[in-house]
Amino acid sequence: MNIEFIHTWTDYLVNAVETAPLWVALIILFLSSLIEYVIPIFPGDTIMLAGGFFSARGALPTVPVFIVLLLGGIVGLSMGWYLGKLCVRYPKVKNFIEEGFGEGSIDKLYKLYEGYGLWVFIFNRFLPGIRGVFIFVAGIAKEPYKRVLLWGAVSTCLW
């Protein structure tokens, strides 16, 4: 996948948010907010900012845009957390993580979340391209889902 492909699709989706019927624009915004947690290279921020821009200009209603972006973020972070949690159940995946990131890396993640977990959750939304990794790692580190959900939702609202 090259950068031109991503650029073309981003333009297409932003144009669709602006010109499509409201229900289509809201679905695109919801999916953009969700997908970027699972597929980090997806340009969800650009599409979501376009939704906010069109909302500020009066082309889209503010409350529905806010709701679909929040719900998409919550569903996306839930999926990312669950995928991380699922990964450590399988020894091959756990070994792959340890080989890729170094021996003891999962233990280091546990310590990271013990010390800074709350801040990682609050600020993850402001880190485009890697926010999904933090949530995925939270699942690996067996962070409680309710905590991830609460602070991930707060982060999405602040963003």
Side-chain angles (χ1 to χ4, degrees):
M1 181 180 308
N2 64 28
I3 194 74
E4 186 60 37
F5 175 79
I6 293 171
H7 180 71
T8 301
W9 269 97
T10 303
D11 286 347
Y12 174 77
L13 291 172
V14 167
N15 185 49
V17 167
E18 182 180 22
T19 60
L22 177 60
W23 67 274
V24 174
L26 293 175
I27 288 172
I28 292 169
L29 291 171
F30 172 82
L31 291 174
S32 295
S33 183
L34 181 155
I35 291 170
E36 68 180 352
Y37 273 102
V38 183
I39 304 172
I41 62 167
F42 184 78
D45 275 340
T46 303
I47 298 159
M48 293 165 60
L49 285 172
F53 175 77
F54 297 134
S55 177
R57 289 183 55 208
L60 294 174
T62 302
V63 173
V65 167
F66 177 80
I67 290 170
V68 298
L69 292 177
L70 177 62
L71 291 176
I74 288 171
V75 172
L77 75 88
S78 297
M79 290 172 64
W81 176 86
Y82 185 73
L83 287 172
K85 183 180 175 185
L86 195 61
C87 281
V88 294
R89 289 185 183 175
Y90 298 98
K92 287 184 180 182
V93 174
K94 191 172 181 179
N95 291 340
F96 176 78
I97 293 169
E98 290 283 342
E99 287 174 17
F101 294 100
E103 190 67 34
S105 59
I106 292 177
D107 292 332
K108 290 176 187 174
L109 293 174
Y110 294 143
K111 290 178 184 174
L112 171 72
Y113 278 99
E114 283 177 8
Y116 302 103
L118 174 64
W119 297 110
V120 170
F121 297 134
I122 290 175
F123 290 109
N124 85 81
R125 186 74 221 174
F126 299 91
L127 301 169
I130 61 171
R131 78 175 50 95
V133 174
F134 287 107
I135 300 302
F136 179 75
V137 168
I140 291 171
K142 299 178 185 172
E143 279 295 311
Y145 175 69
K146 287 181 183 179
R147 180 177 180 196
V148 173
L149 180 64
L150 171 67
W151 294 111
V154 167
S155 178
T156 300
C157 287
L158 290 173
W159 185 86

